[in-house]
Amino acid sequence: MLEEVERWLTKRSWSAADRPLSALVAAKRRSGSTVSVVLPALNEEATVGAIVTEIRRSLMEAVPLVDELVVIDSGSTDRTSQEAAAAGARVVHRDVILPRLPALPGKGEVLWRSLMVTSGDIVCFVDADLKDFSPDFVSGIVGPLLTDPDVDFVKAMYDRPLGSAPGQGGRVTELMARPVLNLHWPHLAGFVQPLGGEYAVRRGLLEQLPFPVGYGVELGLLVDALHTVGLDALAQVDVGVRVHRHQDGLALGRMAAAIYRTAQLRLARGHLVRPELTQFERGDDGFVARTTKVDTEERPPMIEITEYRGGRLAGAPQEPLPEHTAHTRVPEEPYRRRTG
């Protein structure tokens, strides 16, 4: 490990317990910052309601830490939207945001579009399939952004059990993402969960980053953030244990292919042939080959989108947002590129 990364681990790795809620609320009041929490959701009726309920109860009603809680439904066929709304979230369907751009499938597409319908200075993403949810998943990663003006991007870190086996989750992280990052972006070698879906970022940085539309979004944002603001502006916070729904091996293979492709694009920054991935499933008459496209599309930085710069909420009639929720500010000065 690079000496710089060893120093970073000491300086920029914390526990959620390091910043009590009372201290965060006081820091938020002093800074005047606002916080939006976004849950991207696709067929998560079993878990999304409990997550929304806990965030509202612990971080909006008990203390005024979160200002806005939005669930972006990317086409659920179950009761995800109804459960989220009943629990107190504002639910927005992906397809009504920026309707002039037909939606592409993928989590990154939903995260990118969420910037159009949120207004917080700090945007916190949380996956909607978490079980035994703790509010530390939000307060822990928002904390450094409220207390340290030099921090721009915070990832959650946690244990990831696989069933009853501790530490065996995160298979794509260990088999794909971690080797790739260590080999090509060694300054990111200190991140415990580089592909984790829980992270908080200053809006001013998020709106300048391109978003891979699929599974590569977490790696893409992390790599691009490193090149945009430098390692010292990145951090991670231990929030305990993450329990969620696990995918099968074939789905993990597709995820790994998309993540590798995201890394490949960032290494080459040129035109590459869109790849396909062939996998095998056993059928009645032997193994059957199934070929799928690998998600490779990327959305441009949100600051380049006309509707965003104009502070308009896409999807409904093009009326200006209410004054207290409109996001009309274009940064006076772009984030300076800090090497490291």
Side-chain angles (χ1 to χ4, degrees), residues 3-230:
E3 290 185 9
E4 183 178 353
V5 177
E6 291 182 349
R7 292 193 297 271
W8 175 85
L9 277 169
T10 301
K11 182 180 179 182
R12 290 291 190 238
S13 295
W14 297 291
S15 166
D18 293 336
R19 294 175 175 84
L21 276 178
S22 57
L24 297 185
V25 172
K28 180 174 183 285
R29 187 180 302 114
R30 288 193 300 270
S31 69
S33 298
T34 53
V35 177
S36 297
V37 175
V38 173
L39 277 68
L42 176 63
N43 294 329
E44 303 295 355
E45 67 176 3
T47 52
V48 68
I51 297 172
V52 169
T53 296
E54 186 60 31
I55 293 173
R56 286 200 62 85
R57 183 184 68 81
S58 299
L59 303 178
M60 299 180 81
E61 296 167 0
V63 297
L65 187 68
V66 172
D67 301 285
E68 186 176 39
L69 177 54
V70 182
V71 171
I72 310 292
D73 191 333
S74 57
S76 299
T77 56
D78 64 2
R79 290 182 51 79
T80 291
S81 289
Q82 294 91 327
E83 294 291 334
R90 176 160 63 94
V91 179
V92 183
H93 195 284
R94 172 201 62 194
D95 294 348
V96 305
I97 307 170
L98 278 176
R100 72 176 176 85
L101 298 177
L104 297 170
K107 177 185 177 183
E109 177 82 352
V110 175
L111 301 184
W112 182 73
R113 288 175 184 258
S114 76
L115 297 181
M116 283 294 305
V117 294
T118 56
S119 59
D121 304 305
I122 295 168
V123 183
C124 176
F125 297 121
V126 177
D127 282 350
D129 66 343
L130 301 187
K131 304 174 183 177
D132 301 324
F133 178 78
S134 165
D136 286 350
F137 275 76
V138 173
S139 60
I141 58 178
V142 166
L145 298 171
L146 293 172
T147 61
D148 192 333
D150 293 328
V151 175
D152 295 325
F153 189 120
V154 184
K155 295 279 291 191
M157 57 177 168
Y158 33 67
D159 297 320
R160 295 187 69 176
L162 181 61
S164 60
Q168 295 303 303
R171 291 161 288 174
V172 175
T173 294
E174 301 304 329
L175 297 175
M176 170 58 69
R178 198 177 308 285
V180 166
L181 290 174
N182 275 261
L183 289 170
H184 298 296
W185 293 281
H187 285 94
L188 297 175
F191 278 92
V192 175
Q193 298 293 349
L195 300 185
E198 290 70 46
Y199 46 104
V201 192
R202 297 193 193 279
R203 179 177 293 269
L205 173 57
L206 272 181
E207 64 189 12
Q208 297 184 60
L209 302 179
F211 277 60
V213 301
Y215 288 126
V217 63
E218 272 80 32
L219 183 137
L221 291 178
L222 189 59
V223 168
D224 291 342
L226 172 70
H227 291 307
T228 302
V229 295

Side-chain angles (χ1 to χ4, degrees), residues 105 215 248-258 261 273-281 288-296:
Y215 288 126
D248 62 29
L250 293 175
L252 294 179
R254 294 188 290 273
M255 183 184 299
R261 170 64 171 176
V273 176
R274 183 174 184 178
E276 296 179 339
L277 175 69
T278 299
Q279 298 173 302
F280 295 89
E281 299 178 10
V288 178
R290 302 193 186 282
T291 300
T292 57
K293 297 286 188 181
V294 173
D295 292 327
T296 58

Side-chain angles (χ1 to χ4, degrees), residues 233-244:
L234 313 182
Q236 60 185 348
V237 174
D238 188 348
V239 298
V241 179
R242 186 184 198 267
V243 180
H244 66 113

